[in-house]
Amino acid sequence: ADALAALVPEQVQYVLFRAVQADPQGGAYGTAKLVLASWVGPAARPAAKARSAVHRLELVRVLERVPLVLHAELQAAAPDDLSP
């Protein structure tokens, strides 16, 4: 929810978040996945939009060097794409 409030229509932004799914049977077990979301605001400059794919790839390469597993990538076209 905090990340949604921080989205700026004139910017390209990246969010790394943890998505948690509770145990469907109500037990203590659940799963957590790391997701990289990129936001290209609808009012972002064309040059920023064009560079966003390269920047995202560079960010993924940096994340691969740290001890974590990136489970998914998401390109958000609208704020609703990031809402639970």
Side-chain angles (χ1 to χ4, degrees):
D2 293 337
L4 290 176
L7 295 179
V8 179
E10 299 82 18
Q11 293 183 358
V12 174
Q13 296 170 284
Y14 304 92
V15 178
L16 182 64
F17 65 94
R18 189 172 168 221
V20 179
Q21 179 182 359
D23 185 344
Q25 280 120 19
Y29 178 76
T31 58
K33 305 289 184 184
L34 286 177
V35 179
L36 174 63
S38 56
W39 161 258
V40 179
R45 293 186 323 249
K49 290 180 180 183
R51 289 190 307 264
S52 68
V54 173
H55 290 164
R56 184 187 52 77
L57 290 174
E58 290 173 357
L59 182 56
V60 168
R61 285 189 198 117
V62 168
L63 292 172
E64 287 173 346
R65 288 187 235 147
V66 295
L68 60 83
V69 175
L70 185 61
H71 294 97
E73 293 181 48
L74 171 68
Q75 171 69 48
D80 289 344
D81 293 341
L82 295 174
S83 62

